Amino acid sequence: MTEHLIVFPDRETAEDVADGLREDGFDDVRVVREALAGEDDAEDHEWGVLVQEEMVVDESRPVAQGLRDRFAALAQERGGWYDPDPAG
């Protein structure tokens, strides 16, 4: 299973992106509140879209790289950033 985190500054964008990914067939997509390092104020927390994909087990393969590229482009288009290894 692979995990991907796409972070956005506002909840509306995160929910819109999550809805779009669900429509595209991703089953395990959640919107989460992300506290960034060094930020104590709840107002500074950003919104993340956590995508877990069980069908991709080898992250060195083209499918996994394609997902990383897609999520990175999606983050850039919507004013966010992409974390390819949120557990790491």
Side-chain angles (χ1 to χ4, degrees):
M1 176 173 61
T2 61
E3 284 189 338
H4 306 269
L5 181 66
I6 313 165
V7 181
F8 300 98
D10 63 88
R11 182 178 184 170
E12 184 178 330
T13 301
E15 289 181 348
D16 186 47
V17 168
D19 288 344
L21 290 172
R22 286 184 199 105
E23 288 175 8
D24 287 349
F26 291 93
D27 292 327
D28 195 351
V29 179
R30 292 179 282 149
V31 175
V32 296
R33 196 79 193 259
E34 276 300 301
L36 301 178
E39 294 181 349
D40 296 326
D41 186 359
E43 294 294 317
D44 291 335
H45 294 188
E46 293 185 308
W47 293 89
V49 176
L50 181 64
V51 182
Q52 295 181 323
E53 183 57 54
E54 292 188 26
M55 301 304 289
V56 179
V57 292
D58 184 351
E59 294 201 30
S60 67
R61 306 295 296 196
V63 171
Q65 183 60 49
L67 286 178
R68 287 191 294 272
D69 292 347
R70 177 182 180 180
F71 295 147
L74 184 58
Q76 185 176 15
E77 288 170 13
R78 302 295 296 266
W81 57 275
Y82 169 62
D83 181 353
D85 186 21

